[in-house]
């Protein structure tokens, strides 16, 4: 299930659990070298945020998402697999799958591509069945997949999200999300390690991409 936002605690800072960025390394007899500062967000300055990216950066991310290289093979896609056709900007009615959207019986899933705002050409992460959750605000991506992306800008460190277990703190990052050739910048946190979902798409990104559910 998606998380509701309680608020943000802290500003952009260090990485949590080494999800993005390199840890500081020490040398014999010396202090640890300072970690490289994460890049600044380009569009999202706070959590609960998603912004359409109709710029060359968005076009580059969409072009890479439509290709068959630079990230697809690493996630099991085989040569000749197709990213799918456009969904026409909506899902609703009927029962057949349309474009990247999964069938409408039960939970709704969508095929999406995640990439770094500072490296839209890749490498990127392809999720074939991301859960669409309109009750969630931001994006979620499994830690094992989030770690594969280039360094992401940190929007907030220790942002408080409401979960079934109460409020929990998560680091929030800026990421590019592409669905059916449309790209937005959105806020992403990691799912729990034991989550059965590779990714979750919340309502802020759906609105920025002008996709109706």
């Amino acid at each position: 299930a998606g998380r509701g936002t309680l608020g943000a605690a802290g500003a952009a800072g260090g990485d949590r659990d080494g999800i993005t960025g390199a840890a500081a390394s020490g040398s014999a007899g010396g202090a640890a070298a300072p970690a490289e500062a994460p890049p600044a967000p380009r569009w999202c300055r706070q959590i609960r945020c998603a912004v359409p990216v109709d710029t060359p950066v968005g076009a580059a991310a969409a072009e890479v998402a439509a290709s068959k290289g630079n990230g697809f093979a690493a996630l099991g896609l085989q040569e000749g697999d197709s990213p799918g056709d456009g969904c026409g900007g909506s899902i609703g009615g009927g029962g057949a799958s349309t474009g990247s959207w999964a069938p409408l019986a039960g939970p709704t899933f969508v095929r999406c591509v995640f990439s770094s705002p500072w490296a839209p050409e890749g490498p990127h992460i392809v999720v074939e069945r991301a859960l669409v959750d309109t009750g969630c605000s931001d994006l979620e991506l499994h830690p094992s997949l989030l770690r594969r992306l280039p360094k992401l800008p940190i929007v907030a460190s220790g942002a408080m999200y409401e979960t079934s277990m109460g409020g929990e703190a998560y680091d929030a990052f800026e990421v590019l999300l592409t669905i059916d050739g449309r790209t937005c910048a959105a806020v992403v946190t990691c799912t729990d390690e034991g989550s059965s979902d590779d990714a979750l798409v919340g309502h802020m990104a759906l609105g920025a991409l002008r996709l109706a559910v």
Side-chain angles (χ1 to χ4, degrees):
R3 307 182 188 119
T5 308
L6 296 178
D15 301 328
R16 183 173 66 86
D17 298 334
I19 288 177
T20 62
S25 59
S27 57
E36 181 182 353
R42 303 188 69 173
W43 292 277
C44 299
R45 303 296 179 181
Q46 61 185 17
I47 59 176
R48 292 179 55 87
C49 175
V51 179
V53 181
D54 300 321
T55 66
V57 172
E63 181 178 355
V64 170
S67 71
K68 296 183 176 68
N70 202 15
F72 280 30
L75 294 177
L77 289 179
Q78 304 300 315
E79 185 67 26
D81 286 349
S82 171
D85 300 320
C87 72
S90 66
I91 179 171
S97 175
T98 305
S100 295
W101 299 98
L104 299 179
T108 300
F109 297 89
V110 65
R111 182 186 189 278
C112 55
V113 179
F114 295 83
S115 54
S116 169
W118 291 103
E121 70 282 353
H124 56 270
I125 296 297
V126 179
V127 176
E128 292 294 338
R129 285 173 56 83
L131 177 64
V132 175
D133 186 351
T134 57
C136 178
S137 56
D138 293 328
L139 307 175
E140 295 180 26
L141 188 61
H142 196 277
S144 64
L145 300 178
L146 195 57
R147 293 187 188 103
R148 299 188 188 186
L149 287 172
K151 181 173 288 189
L152 298 177
I154 296 181
V155 177
S157 293
M160 295 300 297
Y161 285 86
E162 183 179 3
T163 71
S164 59
M165 303 298 293
E168 294 188 29
Y170 292 86
D171 285 352
F173 304 92
E174 183 183 64
V175 72
L176 293 180
L177 175 74
T178 300
I179 299 176
D180 288 327
R182 307 178 186 193
T183 299
C184 73
V187 176
V188 64
T189 63
C190 66
T191 67
D192 296 328
E193 286 283 358
S195 174
S196 60
D197 295 308
D198 288 333
L200 183 149
V201 179
H203 66 82
M204 297 300 295
L206 294 175
L209 294 173
R210 302 180 299 279
L211 295 172
V213 178

